[in-house]
Amino acid sequence: MSDVNEKEKLEIAEVNTEILRENAEMINEYFSIHIDQGGNLTRLPVVLDQYTPDMDRLPEFMLTLGNDIAWDVEKECFRTAAAAIGNFYALHPPILPNPSGKGIRLYKKNKDSMESAGQADNDLTSTDEDDMDQELVAEAEAAWAQREWTIQHVLFPSMRLFLKPPKSMATDGTFVQIASLDKLYKIFERC
């Protein structure tokens, strides 16, 4: 059974590699994604300075480029390729669950204690330091901290600089003003 699965995976990889090789010139010219003669990905575009997409999602991205792009229809090709690139560069939550709050119970070392923690959802005192996979918790905390840093120091400042939506989006509900700095200053001046 596993030999059949492995053979199917290899066939899919070979077909996708051939599709990407055939369209490599167009992919490079229009999307700045460079694929060499051997079908290897050698370069990705820099969409946002100081931001690198999650490379764990690269195989999915390459599979999407090979399977889901309509290479023969120009408008559909641009639409589907933009969607694939956008999905790859999107800021997804880390694969590891957030270890803060109730998420910490997912990092117990053995299945039995994990099941008992699932039955006693509110009993967070049962998550002793000794029962935790500390290496995995540290990895998850680092991944979530990196995500928060990227949002705060890369994404929000870039949105402030580069996002120039049309005025119609202010009235159609796409963007909603939640605070006005001028009004907040006036309120705090009174205090």
Side-chain angles (χ1 to χ4, degrees), residues 61-77:
F61 173 62
M62 297 305 292
L63 194 60
T64 301
L65 284 181
N67 286 339
D68 300 343
I69 310 298
W71 297 108
D72 300 332
V73 183
E74 185 178 13
K75 190 173 184 177
E76 188 65 12
C77 173

Side-chain angles (χ1 to χ4, degrees), residues 133-150:
D133 186 343
Q134 293 301 325
E135 188 176 311
L136 196 57
V137 170
E139 185 180 337
E141 286 173 344
W144 282 91
Q146 176 64 37
R147 179 177 191 259
E148 288 175 17
W149 186 92
T150 300

Side-chain angles (χ1 to χ4, degrees), residues 30-108:
Y30 291 122
F31 307 113
S32 298
I33 298 170
H34 188 263
I35 297 168
D36 67 12
Q37 299 283 338
N40 300 310
L41 176 69
T42 58
R43 196 176 326 130
L44 288 168
V46 175
V47 174
L48 189 61
D49 283 340
Q50 298 182 355
Y51 177 69
T52 303
D54 183 0
M55 289 299 144
D56 289 338
R57 297 186 181 276
L58 187 59
E60 177 188 353
F61 173 62
M62 297 305 292
L63 194 60
T64 301
L65 284 181
N67 286 339
D68 300 343
I69 310 298
W71 297 108
D72 300 332
V73 183
E74 185 178 13
K75 190 173 184 177
E76 188 65 12
C77 173
F78 284 115
R79 188 189 68 72
T80 53
I85 293 167
N87 186 45
F88 176 60
Y89 278 89
L91 190 61
H92 298 280
I95 293 171
L96 293 170
N98 193 340
S100 64
K102 289 185 179 182
I104 194 74
R105 67 183 163 82
L106 299 172
Y107 293 96
K108 290 218 171 217

Side-chain angles (χ1 to χ4, degrees), residues 16 18-19 22 34 39-41 50 75 100-101 106 111 131 143 154 161:
N16 282 344
E18 188 57 36
I19 290 169
E22 289 171 4
H34 188 263
N40 300 310
L41 176 69
Q50 298 182 355
K75 190 173 184 177
S100 64
L106 299 172
K111 297 273 186 203
D131 293 342
V154 177
L161 283 173

